[in-house]
Amino acid sequence: AHSIARPSDLKKSRPWVWRDDPVFPELMKIVGANGVPLALIVIDLRRFQVVNGTLGHATGDRLLEQMATRLQNELRGDDRAARLGADVFGILRHGVDPKTAGQAAERLYQLMETPFTIDHTPIEMEAHCGIATFPALADDGVQLLQRAELALNQAKADGERYEIEIPFLMKL
């Protein structure tokens, strides 16, 4: 199981929160609090249901735990991560703007180049990412999440590894 942060834990060493946890809106308030540009990268694991269906839910759970560990090891300073859904993760990365967001996504893909190993079985995974940045096209944390999810859906529809927010998506 992943650690679920309490409000007092937000600035401590436990960066994981669940989207439906009461602390999630508080985490979103961090957006813009210090005026530093940041990006929300939403990561959707591709074919995760295949892992659950063929190798079992216990294997799927262990894969998610390994993914969480890899992402947690990638966090810097004030960065935060959350499990947003069954096979969806998010990273709130400070100091990333629209020009550097692609580099941040590529770094996340490098984390997945090494197959996950569960019970001596290598499992190769891929993902789609949606990226939104603050303050470029989002005014607050809720809007940032909406924009990142729109970009994620566009990446899936186009078969791309990632999509960075683009203005025409923001006008929907």
Side-chain angles (χ1 to χ4, degrees):
H2 307 287
S3 299
I4 299 176
R6 296 181 307 270
S8 61
D9 293 331
L10 282 177
K11 294 184 180 176
K12 294 183 181 175
S13 62
R14 293 174 52 198
W16 288 95
V17 297
W18 294 90
R19 184 178 190 168
D20 60 354
D21 190 274
V23 77
F24 189 77
E26 197 168 318
L27 178 62
M28 289 291 93
K29 287 180 187 174
I30 292 172
V31 174
N34 58 10
V36 174
L38 50 85
L40 176 60
I41 304 170
V42 177
I43 306 155
D44 184 6
L45 298 177
R46 293 176 58 192
R47 299 186 311 274
F48 178 73
Q49 292 75 15
V50 174
V51 172
N52 271 344
T54 58
L55 301 175
H57 290 277
T59 299
D61 288 347
R62 290 176 61 196
L63 188 143
L64 291 173
E65 289 171 2
Q66 287 185 23
M67 180 66 178
T69 299
R70 288 183 188 189
L71 291 175
Q72 190 166 355
N73 290 338
E74 179 63 17
L75 297 179
R76 313 165 304 178
D78 290 332
D79 291 353
R80 292 289 182 262
R83 184 171 173 200
L84 303 178
D87 59 353
V88 179
F89 294 88
I91 292 184
L92 193 60
R93 175 144 279 176
H94 287 71
V96 175
D97 59 30
K99 294 178 183 174
T100 59
Q103 294 169 350
E106 287 297 332
R107 175 68 190 126
L108 294 176
Y109 278 104
Q110 291 174 3
L111 296 177
M112 297 180 66
E113 287 179 356
T114 302
F116 296 87
T117 303
I118 300 169
D119 294 330
H120 307 289
T121 302
I123 301 171
E124 293 184 8
M125 295 296 295
E126 295 178 357
H128 291 291
C129 292
I131 306 166
T133 59
F134 174 89
L137 293 173
D139 297 325
D140 58 31
V142 172
Q143 195 175 57
L144 185 68
L145 179 59
Q146 291 170 342
R147 303 298 193 240
E149 288 177 336
L150 283 171
L152 173 63
N153 290 336
Q154 191 65 46
K156 288 179 179 181
D158 293 346
E160 297 292 334
R161 289 169 40 158
Y162 66 89
E163 185 70 50
I164 302 171
E165 63 187 346
I166 49 179
F168 79 86
L169 283 177
M170 302 308 118
K171 296 178 183 174
L172 294 178

